[in-house]
Amino acid sequence: ADGDANQRKGIMVGEHPRVKSIWREETKSAGHGALDEDVILNWLEKRVGELRDEFHQAKCNIPDDSAQWLRLSAVVAVVGNAHEHHFHRSTVATWLLSRVPSQGVRRMAFCTRDGRLDMAAVECARVWSGWGPEAELHAVQDIQGLIDTAAVAGLHDVRVFGGFRFDGQDRKAAGQEWEEFGSFWLALPRIECVADTGDQHLSQFHLRLYLRPSDPVDLDVAVETVRTLRLSRHGTDLVDKPVRACGCRDLDSFNDYSGAMRRIADDLMRGIYDKIVLVRRREFDFSDPPDALRIALDLYNVLGGGFMFCLQVSDESSFVGCSPEQLFSLEGLQVCTEALAGTLRREEMGACDEEAKELLASPKNRIEHQIVVDQIVAELRALDISATLDGPKAVVLPHLIHLRTSISGAYHRNGHFSTVGRAYDLLRRLHPTPAVSGMPRTRTLKAIPNLEGFDRGFFAGPVGFFGATKTEFCVALRSGLVRQRSVVSYGGGGIVKASETKSEWDEAELKISSFSRVLLK
């Protein structure tokens, strides 16, 4: 099944004919230690300037099929008190927030739930974005070629970050507010900062600059990006300055929500679907454009960890969040995924053993959860992967308790397919799980836009990264769209026959309230 699916998509191992990348790396070292950040930034600016001068002096006429990628890298020592801010866990995004302004420069960040990857970036060396399955396939093929050729050159840690829409690839379904994102938005960072695995107190990180030395325009852009990072130092005042909204309002009324619930109850009784997820929104207003990266960091702090992300696609549009849910990770042949469905309010911040027992004993929540488990296991079985289950268990988060079943397995053979190709096939098979759409998938995906009356965009879509040795995506929950002087947050819950309108409205409120705690306190 794995081979057939990848052959159908045309994703094969080896260099794609449209990708002729040749990779090399230059490293600045201080022996066994790290270098001061200003020393590194001065070196980067000088080195890129030298490359630009070399290109112009040679007056090269390099053909398109010999384009190269160069990575300049060094280990940076963090000085001052960048690790002393009151975040759940120090991240390189904290450092970046103190250096780079929120306007005029694109910024990205992604931190995995286990902290094994902690990344922040300034600008993009390459962006893939567009609409429809053909554009998406071509993008994945290009990314595959880029990562495969880097791995051949010994660079196994080149990663492409980004995300996909919740509801697939149809541009007609997109709201204007999501237009800049396309049906997918993926990027190779221009300047990438990656912290050491599991470093709880940020003391050093890897700083990497990606560029094409045979492209004079790319060299000019790289020089300006490094110069911006070198000259911009906002200090700890900006890091510690909170983002505060002027006010907020619900974009979906309780009456409209109740009407949708009545229609869902009728559909459930008629057997049209077994479960469906209904989402609602809240908008926050600001007097000045809010800092998207700061919002992502504050969510990370308020929610006590998770998959933290910030995708800034332009000066006007960013997608931020901190999700508790993994879609999947693929490392070698090993697949890890999970079912996260079933929710109970956490009444107090202390011990919650009784509440956890109540959630585990809830028929409504167990049914909702089992629907998700069964669908994920079926999708893995179609790939000839025997799933091992661990759960359900109660997962305690600030203000909420979820049911989680961890699911793992492995491909039986390596085959003739790249890691990127296999990961993309897995992504398209697993997303959307019934935890964010419902069951059966086709019917609920068709019903959701009519019931909700708005475009989810990237909310509840896959956000993460492709890599040579590992790929990992989360489900973009506890997330929001940052545009100009507003932030729209989203929250919802799974509806089954036993659901009650008021309790489901309250559950969505609990999920949306993470933004309220960040932006209104």
Side-chain angles (χ1 to χ4, degrees):
D2 175 10
D4 292 343
N6 279 289
Q7 286 176 346
R8 185 170 62 250
K9 291 181 172 63
I11 301 173
M12 303 293 291
V13 150
E15 187 175 342
H16 189 272
R18 295 171 58 224
V19 180
K20 301 292 183 181
S21 302
I22 301 172
W23 284 84
R24 62 190 178 94
E25 183 174 40
E26 295 181 14
T27 304
K28 187 172 182 63
S29 174
H32 297 290
L35 294 167
D36 178 79
E37 56 195 73
D38 291 320
V39 172
I40 296 300
L41 294 172
N42 283 325
W43 168 68
L44 287 175
E45 185 176 357
K46 179 181 178 181
R47 184 68 187 107
V48 178
E50 290 172 349
L51 291 167
R52 184 175 59 177
D53 292 343
E54 290 171 7
F55 180 90
H56 289 300
Q57 289 171 6
K59 296 182 179 180
C60 298
N61 184 18
I62 300 176
D64 292 340
D65 64 355
S66 61
Q68 294 181 341
W69 281 98
L70 171 64
R71 186 169 81 176
L72 304 177
S73 63
V75 178
V76 178
V78 177
V79 296
N81 62 348
H83 62 284
E84 295 176 359
H85 304 291
H86 302 293
F87 293 114
H88 169 70
R89 176 180 174 277
S90 296
T91 77
V92 287
T94 313
W95 177 84
L96 189 63
L97 189 66
S98 70
R99 301 265 344 187
V100 182
S102 60
Q103 297 297 309
V105 179
R106 284 186 294 185
R107 299 174 301 174
M108 294 190 299
F110 186 80
C111 183
T112 56
R113 189 173 61 195
D114 60 10
R116 290 177 61 190
L117 176 66
D118 183 5
M119 184 280 302
V122 181
E123 287 295 351
C124 306
R126 178 76 186 275
V127 172
W128 296 264
S129 186
W131 295 92
E134 184 175 352
E136 189 174 289
L137 175 60
H138 287 166
V140 172
Q141 289 174 329
D142 279 348
I143 291 167
Q144 171 195 304
L146 191 78
I147 290 174
D148 284 352
T149 52
V152 169
L155 305 181
H156 297 281
D157 51 4
V158 173
R159 304 179 186 92
V160 170
F161 297 85
F164 298 80
R165 280 178 60 85
F166 162 76
D167 63 353
Q169 306 152 334
D170 186 1
R171 188 171 191 171
K172 296 178 182 177
Q176 185 177 1
E177 68 274 21
W178 291 100
E179 182 71 24
E180 290 184 276
F181 290 82
S183 59
F184 61 94
W185 192 92
L186 300 159
L188 175 71
R190 171 68 70 190
I191 297 177
E192 176 187 58
C193 314
V194 181
D196 289 340
T197 300
D199 185 6
Q200 293 293 316
H201 299 287
L202 186 63
S203 58
Q204 64 181 39
F205 61 87
H206 299 275
L207 192 148
R208 298 161 180 154
L209 170 67
Y210 293 90
L211 55 86
R212 286 167 285 185
S214 61
D215 184 340
V217 175
D218 197 67
L219 289 168
D220 289 341
V221 173
V223 167
E224 291 304 315
T225 305
V226 174
R227 184 172 295 131
T228 297
L229 187 57
R230 182 177 64 82
L231 297 177
S232 299
R233 183 190 287 273
H234 297 277
T236 58
D237 289 343
L238 182 64
V239 176
D240 292 329
K241 182 180 179 181
V243 178
R244 292 292 178 263
C246 303
C248 69
R249 61 186 179 279
D250 288 333
L251 298 180
D252 310 290
S253 70
F254 182 74
N255 286 338
D256 289 341
Y257 186 89
S258 299
M261 285 291 290
R262 287 191 293 271
R263 292 163 60 189
I264 290 171
D266 184 57
D267 289 343
L268 289 169
M269 290 299 295
R270 293 189 291 136
I272 294 178
Y273 38 75
D274 301 316
K275 171 189 174 179
I276 194 166
V277 176
L278 189 62
V279 171
R280 63 185 185 91
R281 304 161 296 163
R282 177 169 297 155
E283 184 173 29
F284 301 84
D285 298 318
F286 299 83
S287 56
D288 297 305
D291 190 314
L293 184 58
R294 176 61 202 246
I295 293 172
L297 281 165
D298 283 344
L299 284 168
Y300 187 64
N301 187 38
V302 164
L303 294 172
F307 292 91
M308 187 270 290
F309 54 88
C310 174
L311 303 178
Q312 188 172 354
V313 303
S314 71
D315 266 356
E316 295 186 347
S317 297
S318 302
F319 183 55
V320 302
C322 186
S323 175
E325 183 175 356
Q326 180 191 64
L327 179 61
F328 75 92
S329 69
L330 175 64
E331 192 166 8
L333 299 177
Q334 187 69 35
V335 177
C336 293
T337 181
E338 66 188 26
L340 190 75
T343 303
L344 186 67
R345 181 189 186 96
R346 185 179 175 187
E347 297 296 342
E348 298 180 2
M349 298 308 292
C352 52
D353 292 345
E354 293 303 317
E355 292 164 322
K357 290 178 182 178
E358 180 185 346
L359 179 61
L360 285 164
S362 166
K364 180 264 180 185
N365 283 292
R366 291 297 293 261
I367 291 170
E368 180 185 343
H369 184 82
Q370 194 61 44
I371 289 172
V372 180
V373 172
D374 292 345
Q375 178 62 23
I376 292 174
V377 170
E379 292 293 348
L380 294 179
R381 188 181 299 118
L383 296 173
D384 198 25
I385 296 174
S386 298
T388 300
L389 308 184
D390 182 15
K393 297 179 179 179
V395 178
V396 179
L397 302 174
H399 309 286
L400 288 171
I401 306 175
H402 291 300
L403 288 180
R404 175 188 291 160
T405 294
S406 299
I407 304 171
S408 60
Y411 288 93
H412 293 305
R413 62 190 185 283
N414 191 41
H416 301 288
F417 307 99
S418 75
T419 301
V420 173
R422 181 177 287 112
Y424 177 67
D425 184 39
L426 195 58
L427 182 150
R428 279 294 164 215
R429 284 182 179 274
L430 291 179
H431 175 74
T433 72
V436 294
S437 60
M439 190 66 192
R441 180 187 295 172
T442 303
R443 293 180 184 176
T444 54
L445 285 177
K446 185 177 180 180
I448 283 171
N450 295 324
L451 290 166
E452 294 176 345
F454 60 86
D455 178 20
R456 290 189 186 183
F458 273 42
F459 171 73
V463 170
F465 67 92
F466 290 105
T469 59
K470 183 176 181 178
T471 292
E472 186 164 14
F473 280 83
C474 71
V475 181
L477 305 176
R478 314 298 190 271
S479 59
L481 174 65
V482 182
R483 287 195 82 231
Q484 299 174 335
R485 289 179 170 83
S486 75
V487 174
V488 176
S489 63
Y490 303 78
I495 315 300
V496 294
K497 286 182 179 179
S499 297
E500 297 178 352
T501 298
K502 183 60 168 61
S503 63
E504 296 298 339
W505 174 270
D506 290 344
E507 179 180 326
E509 175 64 30
L510 283 172
K511 296 169 180 176
I512 292 173
S513 67
S514 56
F515 275 81
S516 298
R517 291 194 294 275
V518 165
L519 300 177
L520 296 178
K521 64 181 180 181

